Structure formats: C-alpha cells, structure tokens
Amino acid sequence: MLSPFLKKLLFVRQFLIDNGKIEILGQNQIMLPSGLLAEMQSIDKDKFYSVVKKHIQTSMQTYAKKMGTTSSGIIKSSQDIFETYGLGQFKLIKLDNTKKTAIVSISQSSLYSPKNKEEILLEAALDGMFSFLFKTNIKVESKANGKQSKQFIINKRWKKWEKT
C-alpha cells in the first residue's frame, strides 16, 4: 500500500515509475538491498558519511524548491521522505530552531539488523538534513532506544576543531 505522501506525489506527477526508472521530486532513484548499504558504510566510514551528508543537504535544497516551501516548512515532508526511502519511521521529539537542536527517534529502519550495529547512513542523512534546516554544521549522536528504535540528538557544532 502506498503512503499518503507517495499518493500526493503521484497526483502531482512527482513520483514516477516507468520502464525501470524511478523518479521522486525530479530526482532519479534506485532501490538497493539494505544489507548492501550496511556493508558499503563500513568500507570508508568518513568518506561514506561525508558523501551521504552532502548529497542529502543538496537534495533537501532541491526538494524545498520543488515543493515550494522554506527550510522550516520542509520538516514534515522530510519525515515523509525519510520513511519513503525506507530509512525508518521518523519521529521528531524536540525541535529548537533558535538553539539549533533537535531530538529524533527512528524506528523500523530497514538498516537495523543483528549484524549491523552502526548507523552511519542514518547519522549522515540526519546531519545533511538538519545542516540544511539549521543552515549550519551540526553533530549527530545516537543512543539505543529499544531493539527497533534509535534516538538521535542533533546539536550545532560549537568548537572549531570538531569534525565537519
């Protein structure tokens, strides 16, 4: 069954599947097994993180323009997009735009497995998303929140020497 978000995209012709091509909001997509992505993130963690962060940040900018919304107005759509891509159910627990902090819970992610203890892809995606939303570099820390749920704490980077 299609999510309400995908149904809206279908209605406005922003979600297309035709002749093996998948397109969402004007960007080509591919489907890959979650195990492959889990293994890819372990090859070169820093480079993987950097590439995912940058791509998500750019995509958020494109999506905001395409949907005609501001960075603060895109948070609800971001939740839908996150779920649509199979990254999990995204629940915003706390958001403070002034302090540039947030707490997010991700559950039912396709990336969670007994073999995969890391969530580099999720952290990098959240980093890119919230760096775009807050218009500054941020850091993401994760903590376990049950077997199928992780909580991510997002804060503005405040020290010059912290990794970007």
Side-chain angles (χ1 to χ4, degrees), residues 120-151:
I120 295 169
L121 178 63
L122 293 176
E123 287 178 12
L126 289 169
D127 190 341
M129 187 167 110
F130 281 95
S131 289
F132 168 76
L133 294 171
F134 292 154
K135 296 188 182 351
T136 190
N137 279 323
I138 54 102
K139 67 178 181 176
V140 179
E141 299 173 70
S142 67
K143 65 180 191 176
N145 195 29
K147 281 186 175 183
Q148 284 293 310
S149 179
K150 300 269 187 199
Q151 213 169 61

Side-chain angles (χ1 to χ4, degrees), residues 103-119:
I103 298 174
V104 171
S105 176
I106 308 285
S107 61
Q108 307 301 316
S109 176
S110 299
L111 296 172
Y112 296 152
S113 74
K115 293 180 185 176
N116 183 28
K117 301 290 185 215
E118 298 183 272
E119 48 272 326

Side-chain angles (χ1 to χ4, degrees), residues 4-21:
F5 177 68
L6 282 179
K7 287 179 184 176
K8 283 185 218 172
L9 291 178
L10 274 170
F11 182 72
V12 294
R13 301 180 55 88
Q14 292 299 311
F15 174 63
L16 306 167
I17 298 177
D18 188 35
N19 294 323
K21 182 179 175 184

